[in-house]
């Protein structure tokens, strides 16, 4: 994956030539502390240009307000959002994008992702669902509707999130527009070596979510990470983000705290030995797994092809 430097900010070049800043701001649950608008404006003030949003997060209107108030030229921003699982039916996809644009108060997105590879019935608007609420929409039907959005001027790139190798392998030969990005959970306890390798070999950029373990997976407290942080005189979070971007993976840490926001933008250069030491951590844990609540969704992260309602 190419990493380009433009005016001090490093970018990942997507397969259609669009540049995506390698460090962005995560916004899941970022409204819960009541300071999201100030957080987004502070982040933009210190140089963040990539904001990761989703219909599901329920806070896009506030983010849109902050974007307007901050006044950064639209062309300098990289705004990602994701369609929720209840909008996978092909006839609902364009409307889902319009809803997102309305909330963010934007004319276009830089990147629109299919948030998850499974679909929910249209009336389910929350993630407290059961197997009865799953909708039988083949992912290629949703993807073909996504492809029609390119050329409308409303999205610069389209991609996927939480897609495993088995799904991508069967999807790619049928795609008219190949996904530009796969956004997946990446940190040393869920390094996704094979999936990242597969995506990068197929010119699909990877964005890693929960780069700091998302408050549930204690990668910040890992002894290898702590040792490397001490050697660089930086924080464990900076080591985690630096490890990710050194792999050519964009990182989207969430913070509502000004000094942590600042710190998360400042990566350090890790040595080959340090990269290898982190790559060799053997602990395994995910923060996010829908099969914890809905066992029928085991195929999402366990590559059981038989149950993937794909094509
Ligand atoms: N595509 C998907 O399905 C999916 C799933 C999950 C997440 N995401 C995206 O990925 C983003 C990041 O994931 P996440 O929010 O779950 O987790 P994360 O970014 O790994 O971790 C966020 C937590 O780390 C803390 N933190 C931030 N900077 C820190 C630092 N320098 N040192 C110590 N602690 C720090 C934050 O607290 P403070 O706010 O107090 O600093 C917060 O509790 C999300 O916000 C969302 O945009 C996407």
């Amino acid at each position: 994956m190419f990493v380009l430097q433009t005016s001090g900010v490093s970018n990942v070049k997507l397969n259609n030539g669009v540049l995506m800043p390698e460090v962005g701001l995560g916004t899941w649950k970022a409204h819960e502390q009541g300071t999201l608008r100030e957080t987004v404006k502070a982040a933009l003030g210190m140089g963040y240009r990539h904001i990761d949003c989703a219909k599901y997060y329920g806070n896009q209107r506030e983010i849109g307000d902050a974007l307007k108030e901050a006044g950064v030229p639209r062309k300098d921003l990289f705004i990602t959002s994701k369609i929720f699982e209840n909008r996978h039916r092909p006839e609902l996809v364009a409307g889902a994008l319009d809803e997102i644009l309305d909330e963010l108060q934007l004319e276009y997105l830089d990147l629109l992702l299919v948030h998850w590879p499974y679909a929910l019935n249209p009336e389910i608007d929350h993630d407290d669902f059961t197997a009865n609420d799953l909708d039988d929409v083949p992912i290629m039907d949703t993807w073909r509707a996504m492809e029609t959005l390119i050329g409308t001027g409303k999205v610069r790139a389209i991609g996927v999130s939480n897609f495993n190798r088995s799904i991508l392998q069967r999807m790619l030969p049928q795609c008219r527009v190949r996904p530009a990005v796969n956004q997946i959970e990446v940190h040393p306890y869920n390094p996704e070596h094979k999936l990242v390798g597969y995506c990068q070999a197929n010119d699909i950029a990877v964005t890693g979510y929960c780069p700091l373990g998302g408050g549930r997976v204690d990668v910040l407290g890992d002894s290898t990470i702590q040792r490397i942080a001490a050697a660089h005189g930086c924080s464990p979070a900076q080591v985690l983000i630096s490890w990710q971007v050194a792999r050519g993976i964009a990182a989207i840490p969430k913070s509502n705290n000004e000094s942590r926001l600042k710190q998360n933008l400042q990566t350090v250069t890790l040595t080959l030995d340090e990269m290898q030491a982190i790559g060799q951590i053997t602990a395994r844990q995910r923060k996010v797994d829908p099969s914890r609540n809905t066992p029928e969704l085991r195929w999402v992260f366990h590559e059981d092809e038989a149950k993937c309602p794909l094509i």
Side-chain angles (χ1 to χ4, degrees), residues 25-30 33 52-54 57 82 113 115-116 161-162 183-185 187 208-215 219-220 235-238 241 252-257 259-261 263-264 287-288:
L25 176 67
T27 65
W28 182 26
K29 298 179 189 271
Q33 281 129 309
D52 183 70
C53 312
Y57 303 160
K82 316 181 190 86
L113 304 178
H115 204 150
W116 285 93
S161 177
N162 297 301
Q183 184 179 124
I184 53 175
E185 179 168 342
H187 47 69
Y209 70 69
C210 302
L212 311 178
V219 279
L220 288 165
S235 71
Q238 286 171 292
I241 295 165
I252 45 172
K254 171 263 170 197
S255 181
N256 282 83
N257 171 287
S259 73
R260 290 194 284 276
L261 277 173
Q263 182 187 116
N264 294 348
K287 176 182 178 187
V288 181

Side-chain angles (χ1 to χ4, degrees), residues 230-262:
H232 285 268
C234 71
S235 71
Q238 286 171 292
V239 172
L240 292 166
I241 295 165
S242 303
W243 171 73
Q244 190 139 297
V245 299
R247 297 175 72 202
I249 302 173
I252 45 172
K254 171 263 170 197
S255 181
N256 282 83
N257 171 287
E258 276 211 27
S259 73
R260 290 194 284 276
L261 277 173
K262 219 171 259 167

Side-chain angles (χ1 to χ4, degrees), residues 55-301:
K55 173 72 181 167
Y56 166 67
Y57 303 160
N59 55 18
Q60 295 191 126
R61 196 158 290 283
E62 198 175 346
I63 294 171
D65 290 342
L67 294 175
K68 270 205 308 214
E69 287 168 21
V72 175
R74 176 67 187 89
K75 67 176 177 44
D76 295 341
L77 297 172
F78 187 97
I79 309 295
T80 302
S81 189
K82 316 181 190 86
I83 64 167
F84 189 60
E85 298 88 276
N86 66 354
R87 292 290 183 271
H88 278 215
R89 293 185 187 177
E91 65 276 18
L92 300 180
V93 168
L97 170 59
D98 288 340
E99 278 173 18
I100 289 170
L101 291 173
D102 177 62
E103 288 181 2
L104 287 168
Q105 305 154 63
L106 296 174
E107 300 290 316
Y108 68 92
L109 290 179
D110 296 276
L111 178 63
L112 178 68
L113 304 178
V114 179
H115 204 150
W116 285 93
Y118 61 86
L120 292 174
N121 286 317
E123 66 278 7
I124 305 297
D125 64 356
H126 50 81
D127 66 354
D128 184 19
F129 59 86
T130 68
N132 290 334
D133 301 318
L134 295 171
D135 198 8
D136 198 13
V137 186
I139 197 63
M140 272 314 293
D141 289 1
T142 307
W143 186 253
R144 288 190 188 101
M146 291 282 287
E147 290 176 330
T148 67
L149 301 175
I150 294 285
T152 62
K154 294 181 183 178
V155 283
R156 296 176 71 214
I158 53 174
V160 297
S161 177
N162 297 301
F163 277 42
N164 64 36
R165 258 185 314 157
S166 151
I167 302 175
L168 290 170
Q169 272 162 354
R170 286 178 294 150
M171 241 182 111
L172 292 189
Q174 302 187 54
C175 292
R176 188 171 58 78
V177 181
R178 187 171 268 247
V181 167
N182 188 14
Q183 184 179 124
I184 53 175
E185 179 168 342
V186 182
H187 47 69
Y189 290 5
N190 193 55
E192 295 285 13
H193 294 300
K194 286 184 186 160
L195 180 55
V196 169
Y198 176 81
C199 288
Q200 293 182 339
N202 284 282
D203 214 7
I204 300 170
V206 177
T207 298
Y209 70 69
C210 302
L212 311 178
R216 182 192 280 195
V217 181
D218 189 19
V219 279
L220 288 165
D222 180 90
S223 58
T224 302
I225 301 300
Q226 297 242 344
R227 171 176 62 73
I228 295 171
H232 285 268
C234 71
S235 71
Q238 286 171 292
V239 172
L240 292 166
I241 295 165
S242 303
W243 171 73
Q244 190 139 297
V245 299
R247 297 175 72 202
I249 302 173
I252 45 172
K254 171 263 170 197
S255 181
N256 282 83
N257 171 287
E258 276 211 27
S259 73
R260 290 194 284 276
L261 277 173
K262 219 171 259 167
Q263 182 187 116
N264 294 348
L265 262 192
Q266 289 157 3
T267 53
V268 298
T269 304
L270 302 175
T271 65
L272 197 55
D273 282 352
E274 290 167 339
M275 289 296 294
Q276 279 172 352
I278 299 171
Q280 284 164 4
I281 291 173
T282 53
R284 289 292 173 265
Q285 195 185 345
R286 280 183 188 278
K287 176 182 178 187
V288 181
D289 185 347
S291 72
R292 288 194 193 111
N293 291 334
T294 312
E296 290 78 1
L297 291 176
R298 255 191 72 78
W299 58 266
V300 173
F301 290 136

